[in-house]
Amino acid sequence: MPRLRALAATVGPKLGVAAAVTALVAGAATAVTTLDTPSAAAATALCDQYAKTTTADGKYRIQNNRWGTSAQQCIEPTATGFRVTQADGAVSTSGAPKSYPSIYWGCHYADCTTGFSPVQASSGTFGSVRTSVAMTYPTSGEWDASFDLWFDPTPRTDGQNTGAEVMVWLNHAGRPQPVGSKVGTVTLAGATWDVWYGNTGWNVVSYVRQTPTSSADFAVSTFFDDALARGWVQRSWYLTSIQAGFEPWTGGAGLAVTSFSAGTGSTGTPTATTSPTASPTATPTATASPTVTVTRSPRPTSGRPVCSATAKTESAWGAGAVQNVTVTNGGEARTGWTTVATLPAGQTVTNLWNGTWTQSGRTLTVKNASYNGSLAAGGTTSFGYQLAATGSTSTPATITCS
């Protein structure tokens, strides 16, 4: 699907990026050329823009997925993966990559692997979902090698996911870096990762391995639980696909997935250079904790549960910022919430996700969306917004929640 997943360090205001995302997403509905037989997977090169095939064992789908350039790209399916054999053209590293040639388990724009159903993160099944990959890399080009773990508030099998995209970067070459900004570091799956956060209409959480590797094997909940603790995914959301592949900006020929597996229980995967952690529960570093003033609303006389809201700036530039607000239920289970924030002078919200909102003067009122209003005692959810600013880009001085 069209993806704006990584940006060079020189990227400026995110308003321009959002426009690019809109254009890219609009191209996602382009029809694909599909090759569906195992024999095709073994012998036929995929050069059409959105050409796909099924692996010889019938478990996974392989896709050329070239959407960011008109230059030719071809991939050659193998018995256990694929290899990029041609990757013409180049695009600016200050924008989106050329493509995301990849192999996946799950659903990609209504094209689902056999027998797959979205897995809710609150289910017992989710904890047993694992994935692994082994890759080889060329010595030239600018690219990243990454997993793409997609989550949606609904059990979506078609269209663009609107919840979160959790990326796991195993390696990268050249200037590209993830969407948004670096917000901390964390140790997961036997390695240390830089954590990045941004939003392109959905939350993009990227884990960039500080020491590159050519293989990995982990439980999906390892990274999900860390993102959950940071307020960027929700336990009620659904895993809709696990994808592994490459985002090239320049070059890319020679990139290859030599082995891939995904599913519930044991995946029968190759030995990886990293070992999964003993517990799928991640412990985020202190740098990722929200760090602004929190105003708790008093318990109303009606007995409605108290809640709190915490705001944090994820990225900022001269004329705007992206901020995230975590809502925490401090009382008994509830079925709705409302936050009221006083914005600094000169701030205007231009886009908001995971909630419904109005702004009157400096007062921003946000109510829950249809899918994140129910909170158990101690439960959390979050929403985020992009703002334009003629003055300060700081977080609101006060936020109340009821």
Side-chain angles (χ1 to χ4, degrees), residues 5 7-9 14 172 177-187 192-199 204-211 230 232 285-289 312-316 322:
R5 304 298 178 259
L7 304 172
K14 297 299 184 289
H172 58 101
Q177 64 186 37
V179 163
S181 58
K182 181 181 172 181
V183 296
T185 61
V186 68
T187 300
T192 301
W193 310 77
D194 293 328
V195 185
W196 291 66
Y197 172 80
N199 185 281
V204 182
V205 188
S206 302
Y207 295 87
V208 181
R209 202 175 192 274
Q210 290 187 350
T211 304
R230 300 171 190 270
W232 298 326
T285 60
T287 57
S289 301
K312 180 180 179 181
T313 298
E314 303 299 346
S315 59
V322 172

Side-chain angles (χ1 to χ4, degrees), residues 232-267:
W232 298 326
V233 297
Q234 299 301 317
R235 187 67 73 185
S236 60
W237 290 359
Y238 293 80
L239 172 70
T240 63
S241 70
I242 298 173
Q243 306 182 21
F246 311 98
E247 293 182 319
W249 279 257
T250 62
L255 291 164
V257 169
T258 58
S259 184
F260 171 79
S261 68
T264 57
S266 175
T267 56

Side-chain angles (χ1 to χ4, degrees), residues 98-111:
K98 297 188 292 182
S99 59
Y100 184 59
S102 49
I103 184 171
Y104 71 89
W105 175 73
C107 296
H108 179 93
Y109 282 82
D111 187 2

Side-chain angles (χ1 to χ4, degrees), residues 46-95:
L46 307 182
C47 296
D48 288 349
Q49 186 174 9
Y50 299 115
K52 291 186 179 184
T53 190
T54 302
T55 56
D57 60 10
K59 293 181 179 180
Y60 312 113
R61 296 286 276 164
I62 298 169
Q63 57 182 353
N64 196 32
N65 202 20
R66 173 178 59 82
W67 49 266
T69 179
S70 59
Q72 182 80 312
Q73 174 178 284
C74 296
I75 64 173
E76 182 180 276
T78 64
T80 55
F82 68 91
R83 180 174 179 268
V84 180
T85 57
Q86 183 176 352
D88 297 344
V91 295
S92 171
T93 54
S94 64

